Amino acid sequence: MELSGLMQKLKIEYLPDHLDALCEQAAKRELDYRSFLAEALATEWNGRHQKGLESRLKQARLPWIKTLEQFDFSFQPSIDRKVIRELAGGAFVARAENVILLGPPGVGKTHLAIALAVKAAEAGHRVLFLTLEELMTRLKRAQAENRLERQIQQFTYPKVLIIDEIGYLPLNRQEASLFFRLVARRYEKAAMILTSNKGFVDWGEVFSDQVIATAILDRLLHHATTLNIKGESFRLREKRKAGLITQPIEKSEDKGGD
Ligand code: ADP
Ligand code: MG
């Protein structure tokens, strides 16, 4: 059978476009058969991996793409780089553990959540990003349309679910109990990354109910890494550098709890 026909039958998608160049290179470098085969297969594999990654990133609905490499750790010394490196390794995803990023606005919570999500997507995991507000809108709509169960089930599929901005929008009891159902369903099954401008002591207020807040935290924190970021807003620093702010920035109030 002809090579192109074989590649078609084997559903080899990416190699055909690169084959001429690969052969030429292999001849120049006098590659042995095995090395050539490995390079050819690697070309196919890389193409497939890239396509898979792109589709996972699209499904993830990240508001923007940021990476760990783009994070200036020297600006935020309260963050333990070792912990971030460990998280970037993705063991927390495999173990269905949670990551909770606490701190005032602008310290990089969303940036880090996205960067960890990108790592997870690179490792082949399904990822979904939602703000708490979006999550609530979707859960409440599902409830009103009598398909809450199915919606919660759908939110359990991603291996990493990011819920951004807990604390800006206080939830009423009904919303808090919807959030609890989601957390309980994912508990010990799949990882979550949460960000909040409020320390845990204030979560009772955020969820309008101390009992529900405690039940939520109980499950979330059972297997979790909490990063309490205490520092200055990166956004304000940028503005200050640009000369838009001349006053020194007041030290942000430490709202993080343990
Ligand atoms: P938060 O979610 O804590 O309010 P963000 O993650 O949205 O903060 O960060 C605000 C902006 O500043 C984003 O564009 C982010 O990429 C950037 N940023 C924050 N901290 C850092 C940092 N240490 N290094 C590089 N960029 C940062
Ligand atoms: Mg944010």
Side-chain angles (χ1 to χ4, degrees):
M1 204 185 282
E2 227 195 312
L3 180 59
S4 65
L6 272 169
M7 290 200 287
Q8 229 169 27
K9 278 206 190 305
L10 286 167
K11 298 195 165 52
I12 294 190
E13 281 179 73
Y14 297 91
L15 181 56
D17 284 347
H18 299 96
L19 197 54
D20 289 345
L22 273 174
C23 289
E24 204 176 302
Q25 281 287 322
K28 262 194 211 143
R29 288 157 58 203
E30 298 180 8
L31 285 190
D32 58 68
Y33 296 132
R34 261 177 189 277
S35 308
F36 171 70
L37 184 60
E39 288 211 351
L41 293 179
T43 302
E44 176 66 16
W45 170 251
N46 289 338
R48 287 190 194 186
H49 178 75
Q50 194 56 34
K51 186 179 163 201
L53 175 61
E54 276 162 23
S55 112
R56 283 191 297 282
L57 286 177
K58 204 163 148 208
Q59 283 179 350
R61 310 178 69 106
L62 301 173
W64 16 276
I65 301 265
K66 281 284 161 95
T67 62
L68 287 177
E69 290 71 30
Q70 290 169 303
F71 197 83
D72 179 0
F73 284 94
S74 64
F75 182 71
Q76 224 52 269
S78 70
I79 300 175
D80 187 344
R81 291 184 201 208
K82 226 170 58 208
V83 174
I84 297 289
R85 216 175 302 134
E86 168 95 21
L87 291 171
F92 82 97
V93 182
R95 292 198 293 249
E97 296 179 355
N98 302 315
V99 178
I100 303 168
L101 300 158
L102 302 178
V107 292
K109 302 181 296 296
T110 304
H111 183 138
L112 289 172
I114 289 173
L116 290 174
V118 170
K119 283 270 180 234
E122 280 170 354
H125 298 298
R126 194 127 71 114
V127 173
L128 180 64
F129 182 105
L130 294 168
T131 61
L132 182 63
E133 193 175 358
E134 286 164 346
L135 172 75
M136 279 306 143
T137 306
R138 291 180 61 176
L139 287 177
K140 283 192 291 187
R141 196 190 310 142
Q143 192 171 40
E145 293 169 2
N146 254 327
R147 50 177 183 82
L148 179 62
E149 186 50 40
R150 220 177 334 137
Q151 180 63 81
I152 289 182
Q153 188 60 32
Q154 265 183 18
F155 284 148
T156 62
Y157 294 143
K159 273 284 177 198
V160 181
L161 179 66
I162 299 114
I163 312 246
D164 197 24
E165 300 191 340
I166 294 173
Y168 287 115
L169 168 95
L171 304 188
N172 62 35
R173 289 224 168 113
Q174 182 222 355
E175 292 166 333
S177 82
L178 286 175
F179 187 75
F180 170 75
R181 283 181 65 172
L182 176 72
V183 169
R185 191 67 75 76
R186 290 184 64 92
Y187 173 61
E188 294 190 333
K189 291 205 189 72
M192 294 177 92
I193 302 176
L194 309 180
T195 79
S196 180
N197 63 324
K198 298 262 164 67
F200 295 137
V201 283
D202 297 323
W203 281 34
E205 223 173 283
V206 172
F207 291 103
S208 302
D209 186 318
Q210 197 57 55
V211 177
I212 293 184
T214 306
I216 289 170
L217 283 173
D218 186 55
R219 280 159 186 77
L220 283 180
L221 298 182
H222 187 192
H223 311 285
T225 304
T226 301
L227 281 152
N228 221 318
I229 311 174
K230 302 170 182 178
E232 190 184 316
S233 163
F234 196 82
R235 293 190 192 101
L236 290 185
R237 181 190 83 151
E238 298 280 277
K239 284 217 174 99
R240 204 169 35 171
K241 271 205 319 209
L244 295 172
I245 302 174
T246 45
Q247 300 283 320
I249 296 164
E250 258 179 68
K251 233 183 139 18
S252 53
E253 191 189 345
D254 174 19
K255 281 285 216 168
D258 277 307

